[in-house]
Amino acid sequence: MRLAMADITAESAPPRGEVAVLVAVQSALAHRPGALEAARALSYFGEHSIGWLAVSAVGAILQPARRRRWLVAGAGAFAAHAAAVVIKRLVRRLRPHHPAVAVNVGTPSSLSFPSAHATSTTAAAVLLARATGSPLPLVLVPPMALSRMVLGVHYPSDVAAGVAVGAAVAGVAGWADGRLLGRARGAGT
C-alpha cells in the first residue's frame, strides 16, 4: 500500500526535469493550427522507417546513376531503426506517462529510449544528403525529433539519443559503402 501511494504522489506531482520540458514543448506547439496533424503525419511516415524506404526506392528508380547511394540511404534508415529497437529492448525505458503529458498518437511499443523515428530519420537524412549531393535533407531531422515530443511519446533524451544513434549508423553505412565500392573498383582493375 505504501508503494502504491508513493507512485500516486509521484505521478500527481508537478512536472519536473524532462517531463517539464516535454510539457513545455506541448504547451508551446501542440495547440497551433495543424501542429498535431503534421506531427501525426510524420509519425505515420516514419513508422518502422517505411517512409524512408519508399523515398530511397523512388530515388533509386529516378536516378539510376546514383542508385547505389539511394539504396544505401534506405538500408541505413532501416538499420538505424533496427538498432533503435535493439537498444529499446536493452534499456526498457517506458514512454512518458505523467498526467500533464498528452499522448496524441498510438505506438507499437511502450518502450521509448531511443526514439526510433529520430534514429531512422537522422540516418536517412544524412545518407540522403550524400545521395543527392545537397545538405537539404538534413532539415528533416528537427521536425521529426520535435514531433515525437509534441505527440507526447518521447522524452527529450529519447530524441537526442535517437539523433546520435542515427548519425552513427549513417556514418557506418557511408563508410561501409565506401569500403565496398573501393573493393569493387579494385577488383575491376
Side-chain angles (χ1 to χ4, degrees), residues 66-122:
R66 295 183 179 195
R67 179 172 290 135
R68 181 184 182 108
R69 287 192 173 197
W70 282 100
L71 295 176
V72 167
F78 185 76
H81 172 76
V85 169
V86 169
I87 295 167
K88 278 179 193 274
R89 291 186 178 163
L90 293 172
V91 173
R92 306 203 61 78
R93 181 185 198 184
L94 296 179
R95 292 188 187 273
H97 57 275
H98 191 281
V101 175
V103 177
N104 296 304
V105 72
T107 60
S109 152
S110 62
L111 304 177
S112 72
F113 184 91
S115 164
H117 283 75
T119 305
S120 63
T121 296
T122 301

Side-chain angles (χ1 to χ4, degrees), residues 124-150:
V126 169
L127 294 167
L128 289 172
R130 182 175 173 256
T132 62
S134 168
L136 193 57
L138 298 173
V139 303
L140 302 168
V141 175
M144 181 63 84
L146 200 54
S147 77
R148 308 315 292 157
M149 291 185 287
V150 168

